[in-house]
Amino acid sequence: MVFDTYETLALACLVLLLGYFLVKRVRLLNHYNIPEPVVGGFVVAIVLTGVHQFWGLSFSFDTDLQRTMMLTFFTSIGLSANFSRLIKGGMPLVMFLFVAAGLIALQNTVGIFSAMVLGLDPAYGLLASSVTLTGGHGTGAAWADALAARFGIQSATELAMACATFGLIFGGVIGGPVASFLLKRLHRKEIPEDENLDDVEEAFEKPVYRRKVNTRSIIETITMLSICLFIGQQLDLLAKGTAFQLPTFVWCLFTGVIVRNSLSHLFKFKVAEEAIDILGSVGLSIFLAIALMSLKLWELVGLALPILVILLIQVAVMALYAILVTFRVMGKDYDAVVLSAGHCGFGLGATPTAVANMQAVTSHYGPSHKAFLIVPMVGAFFIDILNASLLKLFVEVVAIFH
């Protein structure tokens, strides 16, 4: 069954409403801060998997809408990035980069040696490491062909997509429990839902906050988003095949940063922060809903047991790394907790999952400007560059054992 744009959008919204309902009614989900899109999307993915297994039906959703929502979200992050706030990132941003690089190296080491212990070609272990976990579906697809050509592994692309899917699910699942564990150590208490927020910078971090917007601010924001999406995709086309080739969302985010700060500092135009936050949160939620309800979980069921074992080890490594390394290096405070939850999101899945994890925490325990500044910047700008650089090194390591 193929669903067009309108049908996909309607179903995505229903998935989100289901997630909101379940998180509100199921105390366990609420307690561990599981993001609503992950809950609703995963439930629907399970149902569709059952339909596929019993009746042989497959479902295809509009990927163009999913991609547009993802790009809208990253563009909103760019439009929210005031240079004066970016400067505040400073040393914590650099420290988090080293933390992220450490995880990439650890994932690849664990993946390669776990595969060897389980009697697999180490190239399979590399495929179940930062290629598909920190890298996600896009990086996984890009590297699968290269690994298949060099090491002769079978069904590399399909396996990469399944591993990335596994990571996307568990990236959204473990972030909340990790944060809850750390919050208990800090004795942090929840903030009442009706608490008044005067600082508009807290809006994106607390998505349940009722913001003041009007027609004009929404139109202005849609205009900026549209222009940034157009310019970002044109830059992406120009950079293809060059040393500056980057994922499309990076160009959109970068364009958003330039447009926002040009308007604010050169033309003294007051950007509608609230409208940007609303539309960005909507884009994030719809993107995750479509991504998760599109999961073909039967592909995971078909994975060889050793690959599943490696992936489960990677999940445990991510949780322990967030608690023992990310939390401690980033200051052992509330900001470090939110950063740790976000790191679980993009360390196993993707940056939107990281932001959803952080929103789930800050909605209950208060804002974290530091986390919402650092994680999107590292997840969007730097992680792909770090990952690609380190992967080249580990490919040579695999070649030694091959």
Side-chain angles (χ1 to χ4, degrees):
M1 296 181 65
V2 179
F3 295 91
D4 64 19
T5 301
Y6 302 117
E7 293 165 343
T8 300
L9 180 59
L11 288 170
C13 292
L14 290 173
V15 164
L16 289 171
L17 293 174
L18 173 63
Y20 295 142
F21 174 80
L22 291 175
V23 170
K24 186 175 181 180
R25 296 300 179 92
V26 181
R27 185 176 179 182
L28 185 67
L29 299 174
N30 188 282
H31 176 73
Y32 285 107
N33 306 302
I34 308 299
E36 291 89 348
V38 173
V39 174
F42 193 37
V43 169
V44 171
I46 292 173
V47 172
L48 295 184
T49 297
V51 172
H52 173 79
Q53 294 298 108
F54 286 103
W55 289 285
L57 287 175
S58 294
F59 301 87
S60 178
F61 301 98
D62 185 1
T63 55
D64 287 338
L65 177 62
Q66 179 182 342
R67 182 174 181 274
T68 299
M69 291 297 103
M70 180 190 70
L71 295 179
T72 298
F73 160 69
F74 280 110
T75 303
S76 74
I77 292 292
L79 289 173
S80 299
N82 192 321
F83 278 145
S84 60
R85 291 174 62 193
L86 291 178
I87 293 172
K88 295 177 183 177
M91 186 53 65
L93 179 63
V94 175
M95 291 170 62
F96 194 70
L97 279 172
F98 280 103
V99 169
L103 176 67
I104 292 171
L106 181 60
Q107 282 180 334
N108 292 326
T109 302
V110 168
I112 291 171
F113 284 101
S114 295
M116 295 173 65
V117 169
L118 294 169
L120 288 178
D121 188 319
Y124 283 106
L126 192 61
L127 204 58
S129 60
S130 77
V131 172
T132 54
L133 300 179
T134 295
H137 288 80
T139 302
W143 279 87
D145 291 339
L147 292 175
R150 182 162 184 180
F151 301 113
I153 57 178
Q154 301 297 314
S155 304
T157 300
E158 292 78 4
L159 188 59
M161 293 302 97
C163 291
T165 297
F166 183 97
L168 189 67
I169 294 170
F170 280 89
V173 169
I174 70 167
V178 165
S180 296
F181 173 80
L182 294 173
L183 286 165
K184 285 182 180 179
R185 298 177 63 179
L186 293 180
H187 305 291
R188 181 90 175 192
K189 295 183 179 180
E190 289 193 36
I191 295 176
E193 290 188 7
D194 59 350
E195 182 183 81
N196 183 37
L197 296 179
D198 295 322
D199 185 354
V200 293
E201 291 184 357
E202 296 182 11
F204 191 77
E205 303 165 34
K206 198 172 179 69
V208 296
Y209 171 56
R210 302 293 181 180
R211 307 165 179 84
K212 295 179 181 179
V213 295
N214 54 43
T215 303
R216 179 171 176 173
S217 65
I218 291 290
I219 295 297
E220 289 174 350
T221 303
I222 291 176
T223 301
M224 288 188 295
L225 286 168
S226 301
I227 291 172
C228 291
L229 288 170
F230 172 75
I231 295 175
Q233 293 185 85
Q234 294 305 308
L235 291 173
D236 178 57
L237 290 174
L238 291 172
K240 270 192 171 44
T242 72
F244 298 98
Q245 182 171 340
L246 293 167
T248 308
F249 69 80
V250 175
W251 289 113
C252 292
L253 189 151
F254 176 73
T255 304
V257 173
I258 299 302
V259 168
R260 157 60 192 266
N261 288 278
S262 296
L263 290 173
S264 297
H265 300 293
L266 297 180
F267 300 99
K268 305 303 179 183
F269 176 78
K270 187 176 182 180
V271 175
E273 298 272 6
E274 300 94 332
I276 293 172
D277 294 329
I278 286 177
L279 294 176
S281 293
V282 169
L284 170 65
S285 297
I286 293 176
F287 162 72
L288 285 175
I290 298 174
L292 287 162
M293 73 183 187
S294 301
L295 295 179
K296 296 182 170 106
L297 295 179
W298 54 89
E299 293 180 357
L300 291 180
V301 176
L303 281 177
L305 181 60
I307 298 295
L308 280 175
V309 171
I310 294 173
L311 290 172
L312 289 172
I313 292 173
Q314 295 283 23
V315 171
V317 167
M318 178 71 258
L320 290 172
Y321 191 87
I323 292 170
L324 299 176
V325 179
T326 308
F327 175 67
R328 293 185 177 184
V329 172
M330 298 311 297
K332 295 191 289 187
D333 55 9
Y334 176 64
D335 288 321
V337 172
V338 182
L339 282 165
S340 299
H343 199 188
C344 289
F346 80 77
L348 289 178
T351 305
T353 309
V355 175
N357 283 351
M358 295 192 300
Q359 282 185 340
V361 176
T362 56
S363 291
H364 290 90
Y365 295 94
S368 172
H369 301 326
K370 184 177 179 180
F372 275 85
L373 172 65
I374 291 174
V375 169
M377 291 295 293
V378 172
F381 277 122
F382 301 109
I383 200 65
D384 286 310
I385 299 171
L386 280 173
N387 200 17
S389 302
L390 289 170
L391 277 173
K392 291 178 182 178
L393 172 64
F394 279 94
V395 166
E396 298 305 319
V397 173
V398 169
I400 295 173
F401 291 106
H402 205 265

